[in-house]
């Protein structure tokens, strides 16, 4: 990194850490010198999965009979036809309304932890949560194993999927294998990362540069532009609800209060409402909240519009495997 790049980055982050307001006009002349592209990566085109097992997982994902009332499937809260999530503020399951907004399953295999509080380490472990939660599917594995084992169609699907035996572990594996196929690699920003210097418009490029210089990229990074760390929500300004203290609800440790997994920004323009509690439906408001709470700065409207334009470049077509499965 060149010396002038290093010193600009240092000065910007010193300003942020001091809680000072960021003046876009004062720093805009330095934006082009700051290059954090090494912190982000394009989504790979090729995915190493077993297609037959993934197809089995797709059927299970869409099956409401896995829930206790035979009315709630994984797809109920993760709409595969649109954004892999839902448009309601929080999810509604078998026994009522939940506490948190559903996260998209698109690109979720790229995350390092799962759930808003990061309590699950693998996709397979994550599946236990909605299956057994009374406010989601309210089921249990013995009930699901009995149902699947008695189904002739499932017996055929398991046979086609490498002759897998029917069990809790293989059901979880099939669901996880399906979710691993749900990647969206063809965004405008991916083309930019792969070397197409004309992919971004002038406004989108300004938004990407600002995204770097003010510090957004320090948390929203990696292939998923997020999803790879847990951070305090409301670092500079309290923006939390006392009803949901994040990781603290799992650990009961005071230092974990209001710590949440950083959300992926992939397809973020298609996944409102935003934040763990679904508090806002617009990217503009979400950016304003994050600037104040996480960076300690007040952004001008033009700066917010630039960042919003950049975030739209993270949108990509829905995973192609879905159309294949739907048409078979």
């Amino acid at each position: 990194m060149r010396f002038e790049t290093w010193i600009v980055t240092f000065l910007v982050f010193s300003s942020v850490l001091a809680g000072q307001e960021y003046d876009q006009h004062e720093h805009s002349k330095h934006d082009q010198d700051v290059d954090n592209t090494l912190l982000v990566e394009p989504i790979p085109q090729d995915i190493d999965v077993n297609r037959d097992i993934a197809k089995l997982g797709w059927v299970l994902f869409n099956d409401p009979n896995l829930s206790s009332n035979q009315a709630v499937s994984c797809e109920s809260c993760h709409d595969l036809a649109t954004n892999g999530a839902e448009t309601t503020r929080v999810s509604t399951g078998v026994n009522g309304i939940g506490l948190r907004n559903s996260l998209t399953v698109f690109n979720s295999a790229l995350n390092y932890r799962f759930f808003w509080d990061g309590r699950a380490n693998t996709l397979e472990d994550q599946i236990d949560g909605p299956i057994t939660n009374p406010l989601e599917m309210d089921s249990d594995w013995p009930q699901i194993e009995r149902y699947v084992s008695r189904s002739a169609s499932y017996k055929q699907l398991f046979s086609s999927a490498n002759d897998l035996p029917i069990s809790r572990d293989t059901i979880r594996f099939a669901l996880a294998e399906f979710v691993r196929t749900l990647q969206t690699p063809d965004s405008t920003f991916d083309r930019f990362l792969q070397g197409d210097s004309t992919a971004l418009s002038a406004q989108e490029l300004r938004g990407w540069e600002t995204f770097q210089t003010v510090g957004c990229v320090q948390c929203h990074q990696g292939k998923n532009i997020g999803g790879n760390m847990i951070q305090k929500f409301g670092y500079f300004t309290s923006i939390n609800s006392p009803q949901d203290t994040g990781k603290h609800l799992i650990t009961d440790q005071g230092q974990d209060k209001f710590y949440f997994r950083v959300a992926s920004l992939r397809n973020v323009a298609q996944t409102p409402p935003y934040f763990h509690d679904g508090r806002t439906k617009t990217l503009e408001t979400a950016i304003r909240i994050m600037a104040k709470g996480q960076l300690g700065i007040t952004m001008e409207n033009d700066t917010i519009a630039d960042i919003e334009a950049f975030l739209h470049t993270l949108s990509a077509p829905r995973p192609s495997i879905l159309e294949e499965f739907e048409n078979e």
Side-chain angles (χ1 to χ4, degrees), residues 228-243:
N228 60 355
M229 65 178 70
I230 295 174
Q231 291 286 357
K232 185 176 182 179
F233 187 60
Y235 191 86
F236 285 100
T237 303
S238 178
I239 49 178
N240 289 289
S241 164
Q243 285 76 34

Side-chain angles (χ1 to χ4, degrees), residues 158-177:
F158 274 82
S159 176
S160 299
N162 290 7
D163 282 324
L164 287 177
I166 296 174
S167 69
R168 167 182 174 270
D169 287 344
T170 56
I171 292 170
R172 293 200 319 165
F173 174 55
L175 283 164
E177 192 76 343

